[in-house]
Amino acid sequence: MPKREDIKTIMIVGAGPIVIGQACEFDYSGTQACKALKEEGYRVVLVNSNPATIMTDPGFADRTYIEPMTVDAAAAIIEAERPDALLPTMGGQTGLNLAIDLHECGVLEKFGVELIGANIDSIKKAEDRDLFKAAMGNIGLDLPRSGYVGTVEEGRKVVEEIGLPVMIRPSRTLGGSGAGVAKTKEEFEQTMSWALELSPVTEALVEESIEGWKEFELEVMRDRKDNVVIVCSIENLDALGVHTGDSITIAPAQTLTDKEYQIMRDATLAIMREIGVDTGGSNVQFAVHPETGRLVVIEMNPRVSRSSALASKATGFPIAKIAAKLAVGYTLDEIPNDITSETPASFEPTIDYVVTKIPRFTFEKFKEAEDKLTSQMRSVGEVMSIGRTFKESLQKALRSLEIGTAGFEPRRDEDLEPKLVTPNSERLWYVAEAFRRGYSVEKLYALTMIDPWFLENIRQIIAFEKELESSGLLAAIDDATLRRAKAWGFSDKRLSQLLGCDEDDVRARRAAGGIRPVYKTVDTCAAEFEAHTPYLYSTYEDECEANPTDRKKIMILGGGPNRIGQGIEFDYCCVHACFALQEAGYESIMVNCNPETVSTDYDTADRLYFEPLTLEDVLEIVRTERPTGVIVQFGGQTPLKLAKALEAEGVPIIGTPPDAIDRAEDRERFRHVLEKLELKQPPSATAMVVEEAERIAARIGLPVLVRPSYVLGGRAMEIVHHMDHLRDYMERAMASSSEHPVLIDKFLDHAIEVDVDAICDGERVVIGAIMEHIEMAGVHSGDSACSLPPWSLSDEIQDEIRRQTRALALELGVLGLMNVQYAVSDNEVFVIEVNPRASRTVPFVSKAIGVQLAKIAARVMAGESLEQLGYTEEVIPKFISVKEAVFPFIKFPGVDTLLGPEMKSTGEVMGIDTSFGLAFAKAETAAGNPLPASGTVFISVRDADRQELDKIARRFAAAGMDLLGTVGTAEYIRGLGIACDTINKVRDGSPHCVDAIRAGRVAAVINTVGSPESVHESFSIRRAALECGIPYFTTAAAAEAASEGVELLDGSAPGVNALQDLHARNA
Amino acid sequence: MSANGANSLRATLALADGTIFVGEAFGAEGKVAGEVVFNTSMSGYQEILTDPSYEGQLVTMTYPEIGNVGVNAEDVESFKPYVQGFIVKEYWDSPSNWRSQMSLGAYMREHGLVGIQGIDTRALVRRIRDNGAQQAVLATGDVDTDALVAEAAARPSLEGGDLASVVTTQESYRWSSGLWRLGEGFATPTTDGPLVVAFDFGIKLNILRNLADMGCRVVVAPSGTSAADVRTLAPDGLFLSNGPGDPDAVEGAIPVVAELAKEFPTFGICLGHQILALALGAKTYKMKFGHHGANQPVIDVDTGVVEITSQNHGFAVDAETLPEKVRVTRLNLNDQTVEGLEHTEAPVFSVQYHPEASPGPHDANPLFKKFFNLMKTRATGGGENAVAQRSVSGFRAEQG
């Protein structure tokens, strides 16, 4: 049946900022949905607060709103655009929740907006625990047996019925905290009473524990004719107990017979029908008892999910795109399978390879957090890899992670068992190490509950490592053995470690033996039909299906897994480069290993290689494709760090030459550049030992910024105000790595930081934007909010910044994008660093100025001039854009929320309005930190920030808010003639400020700190604000911006603007 | 050396067109020959091995990891394996599944099945896809590859081969075991419903289990059973099973079915569907490489509903040759081939695919109910009591 003609305009809600649990997979799904619906001729209205997304490019929707994902903003957009329908299933839980809220407050009904792709009843049935349980009962499916209890005695009765072990979950605690497993009667008594105590309503759920069971997921689609297909089955390597987002997962399921798999498939179909998902994709999770096969349903998500993105990439079946088409009335049999083109989407993909996903963690960023995996998701990204066997797929995934691992490197811990028993981010390596030390599969199974099938695979890998090691030398390895090692997924680097040689030697040895990978196609059908989309992965077999063309072609190296410091922004740049080069007549080739991204969609680039981004893997693709040029500038550090080695191998890198990159990155060489241009930078030096560091600090003066050389994202960077602290830092740094010097920079206290993005074609430099940071220098640029155009810098300073940027770009010989960070202190401009590549801010800038910087840069790199491309003038927008960072602190108990030189944010939002205050207010709202409109503001600031209090306190007071401060701050505020109540610090005893926050008597928290003691003392204030969901500001600058926002808002909601209208204003 | 550190005996697969694949042997040692086909199911290799429709064939699994779940006594579709040679990317000797009773390799050794692993199975599949199914020889140990190719090339095509008569049961038997259920095993239903005579052209046991599970009394009859012998049993319905080879060549079946389909509600599956079509006057043809997998989309032309089906056939019914009063009810959405037929005036219908699944999705299972509803149980019992009972116990067939 044809698509629906009764609807013309469809609104899509995105997922907002990247947070743990909701990453760029929803940009992938949203972008697919936008494309699919526009293709069908619908007018698409999009709302998403995340400027780094590809979907929010004005070309993907007819009307694009980068506005907070709130009911107010969405209602205003609905009122302005009058959509006929709303598709809520593409924006993760955020999108779904917003749709439910819009329904519940009557907005949808008022404006006659129909929900498509999901209905309220089915969403509720899937998400409400009791309704879901009842629904499963209706179709005869089991859930873990459970009962709610209010006393320990009631708990005992439940245990009598279901037996131990049990999971006890206290009701209504924050983020489900306080849940625990009881394996014995004693543990039960203890956990039960503790849980009841923790629960504010003295209630807990006692549930049959399924920890240690096998976990499976099925990705399923249904159309309105009740056709249902399973797109993919996924088996978790980690047993139940680890969040599926944090689990290593394998597609398809490996350890089920057909009978068992079909039971799961039948159950999934029944669940789709019972929950009533009429059209679209869903995900159902099951647990299977490893010894009896008993199957219980864990949950279902009635929407596109992280797993659907994985399943789409794993099979070549584009779930989001097809879900969007189903939502407008098509049925599966009416939608063609793009890959085969001759067969329809109403089939179940079958794959002839093994897919492994490994999550990427960043525990190193949150030192206070324990590296322990639980049912709370903590990973920030993931990699996927494809191999013809599980071993190959697993080992390719390891090196895709970019955590400095090339395979199963040894672990030195004496006692492995704690790392085996408690799931953690490195458990896989500990499993391998355990095999190295002679553990049996049986023993490891008992310790880890990882299915023996996976364990045996790892055991064989380690046994082979031993065989290789014992042969000693590379020269002693025959071709057949080397070929087998490669087929098992061993990287050249890991082989070089095992054979005591260089990676280059292994590569040369392979070349001599003709041991090269071939490329196979991901085609949804295991080669039953011919594939028309070159979506490829490497393996060591006979037949290569790459069939490279002889067109002029450019290869783009992607950014690899999302992590803090390198996220979706770089995928945005890669995708744009790809589109730009296609427009310029090139064939585009994408290389990436991140399944969440738009770049790894098979219809983004002309050719897609789903491969690790290591030197070895990239060189092999280059050898096969022979591209005209390779772009390393757009994928962040990942490809950039390959630049030199690739060039040395004769790979044609286009854009800024690797030597220019080196001149910008090498401290000494960069110093010469600045001297030549007579530009200033903060005094700095390097130190290898404590005494040297002390001498330097004495010379350049405290405070100083210290960091190890060769780090990313501000890792281990600290600001040091005292010599004691410096000594302590140096000792720690020397202990962890005595080879690399420590970099010591003069820290410009109270300086304003500025980010500049610019494009240079070798002759002309065009400034993309100057962004002024809200937070003072000392906060990592990725964590700082910023304003475009600057909100306080004088025209003279801005012009000086422009001059310096031009000089730097031309001197370095930049071809393409460049980002410069400056610090402005006492009207002097200091260069902090230059990155001759696409920066994190490129998408934000592009949205603000209405120019696709990444596209222009890609064409510059391919040889066109800025003049030819018609981009010769800086665009100064007629409105203010504020970018704000979003943090994952809530997921890491015990972690402070203070900002510093180490980047901690996972994502960003954008607020756009006519004034700085309103734009800031929008950005804060979008970041989940909405400015208060009434109530009490609690203020406790360090002495150095008191001078700012005049403005801040006065504005809050003028907006009719009450002020509450700790002794010193309150007295100071009263001294300004502004009313302010006093409350105890925590150390002064109850009732103190944290009591007030936890009791809900505070509407916002302003807390800045100086000394380490005060940081320690006030930690509970910030944590309380975070956990209670109260907006908080930890720098005076942010507090000042917030006060301006509150003043301008004056209790009203700001208006909404479509990007298309805003950009028209710029023109 | 094999993936599992087992022996590294060589195995060679030689195709009639001269293509050679050299890998490692698993399962039994020796030499087997047959038509090489591929199956795209990701699960259910044990059911595939024991499907009599694979008589005369070597099967390549497109899914690369095979053997993971071992072999158990329940997941069998006949009384012994029929696939002659098994071709996989990586054979897995250490199974992990709570129902596993032995490794696949051990099972294959016990039954004399030759296996080859460690070859580029995708390259083989693409060759079959592009050039069609062809004859091949699979041998272990040191071999003369030229001789193997010559041997493969000399083998006749399956066209014109009556393989149903090879795999069919020698004696009629009764069947009463029902479907397998998790935690319960095979059901033991009360069978006092309609009496079905099932022609065994290579029948899969799950068809019989489905019939028994609904309460049917089932008598399985050899392929060559005469119409008169069927009438003696006084059945309420006639079932025509799946099976291997060319439907046109099945000795005696077509005229018998032509006669009986006029008298009894009739349901045919796979080869049974083709034989029914021939009996009704249509023609069949050999496909390039057929359909072998568990993900084939079939549309019900009346309702527009799509079933995901399990399929295993190399011949198909030519839609152009259908006589009057026979209509197409189902089409394959991938290639528009005929997937289902129905007589417009008689309770006679058939499907090309496998509603009994095993392996594969259960979407088409309601067809058994449809057949059940077409039959009327006669008040007096048929002649089935004279027939011996048969079942499967452990890995062996039992007769009683």
Side-chain angles (χ1 to χ4, degrees), chain A residues 254 266 350 390 451 460 545, chain B residues 3 40 63 65 96 122 306 362:
Chain A
Q254 300 293 336
D266 289 345
T350 184
F390 172 64
D451 191 279
Q460 291 180 15
E545 300 170 24
Chain B
T40 62
Y63 186 67
E65 301 277 17
S96 174
R122 186 171 162 93
V306 180
H362 299 155

Side-chain angles (χ1 to χ4, degrees), chain A residues 860-878:
Chain A
V860 163
M861 293 164 83
E864 289 173 81
S865 72
L866 285 166
E867 193 172 358
Q868 283 170 316
L869 294 164
Y871 183 58
T872 53
E873 289 288 331
E874 176 182 352
V875 176
I876 307 215
K878 308 250 180 344

Side-chain angles (χ1 to χ4, degrees), chain A residues 244-444:
Chain A
T244 179
D246 283 356
S247 294
I248 295 163
T249 62
I250 320 298
Q254 300 293 336
T255 62
L256 294 176
T257 64
D258 185 66
K259 287 202 172 22
E260 293 144 23
Y261 171 70
Q262 298 303 338
I263 290 169
M264 227 175 252
R265 186 182 180 279
D266 289 345
T268 304
L269 270 56
I271 292 169
M272 285 301 271
R273 288 168 179 147
E274 176 63 24
I275 297 296
V277 178
D278 296 332
T279 72
S282 293
N283 151 276
V284 187
Q285 291 168 28
F286 296 98
V288 171
H289 191 284
E291 276 139 41
T292 65
R294 186 165 108 82
L295 175 102
V296 299
V297 181
I298 304 171
E299 62 170 50
M300 79 98 70
N301 289 302
R303 56 171 170 85
V304 171
S305 67
R306 178 178 45 257
S307 300
S308 1
L310 184 75
S312 299
K313 303 300 164 74
T315 59
F317 188 101
I319 293 176
K321 172 184 176 168
I322 290 175
K325 300 225 170 187
L326 298 183
V328 296
Y330 284 108
T331 52
L332 286 162
D333 53 302
E334 292 168 342
I335 304 169
N337 175 346
D338 295 336
I339 288 187
T340 62
S341 75
E342 63 189 89
T343 61
S346 55
F347 80 116
E348 301 196 341
T350 184
I351 66 183
D352 57 1
Y353 43 81
V354 181
V355 174
T356 303
K357 172 210 90 176
I358 305 186
R360 165 81 191 238
F361 297 92
T362 42
F363 283 105
E364 73 279 3
K365 292 267 184 185
F366 303 96
K367 288 175 207 75
E368 302 89 342
E370 200 186 346
D371 181 354
K372 186 177 153 187
L373 305 183
T374 64
S375 52
Q376 164 88 269
M377 181 169 163
R378 297 220 170 73
S379 60
V380 293
E382 61 192 34
V383 296
M384 182 184 106
S385 78
I386 311 176
R388 282 276 281 159
T389 60
F390 172 64
K391 289 189 203 73
E392 180 178 49
S393 163
L394 177 68
Q395 296 218 80
K396 281 174 77 176
L398 293 180
R399 68 176 183 268
S400 299
L401 279 169
E402 284 183 75
I403 49 171
T405 189
F408 284 116
E409 290 89 359
R411 287 293 182 271
R412 308 282 172 213
D413 315 38
E414 211 156 284
D415 185 9
L416 299 175
E417 293 195 9
K419 295 286 195 180
L420 294 168
V421 173
T422 308
N424 58 80
S425 66
E426 294 185 44
R427 184 161 69 161
L428 206 51
W429 286 268
Y430 284 98
V431 166
E433 182 62 30
F435 281 124
R436 206 171 274 125
R437 295 186 198 175
Y439 281 51
S440 66
V441 167
E442 292 70 30
K443 181 168 180 186
L444 273 170

Side-chain angles (χ1 to χ4, degrees), chain A residues 950-962:
Chain A
D950 194 356
K951 248 193 236 168
I952 300 171
R954 209 172 289 284
R955 282 179 181 150
F956 279 119
M961 302 186 69
D962 299 325

Side-chain angles (χ1 to χ4, degrees), chain A residues 771-774 784-788 841 844 881-884:
Chain A
M771 290 156 274
E772 178 180 351
H773 289 200
I774 313 290
S784 182
C786 70
S787 170
L788 187 176
T841 43
F844 167 69
S881 298
V882 169
K883 184 205 87 174
E884 177 58 294

Side-chain angles (χ1 to χ4, degrees), chain A residues 88-130:
Chain A
T89 51
M90 299 294 161
Q93 199 60 40
T94 303
L96 211 53
N97 289 348
L98 180 57
I100 294 171
D101 292 346
L102 285 168
H103 163 78
E104 295 203 327
C105 71
V107 170
L108 298 183
E109 199 186 2
K110 182 176 170 194
F111 294 102
V113 183
E114 179 189 346
L115 273 188
I116 56 172
N119 59 69
I120 294 290
D121 283 349
S122 64
I123 297 170
K124 283 192 176 155
K125 255 195 205 174
E127 305 215 326
D128 180 287
R129 217 185 169 84
D130 295 326

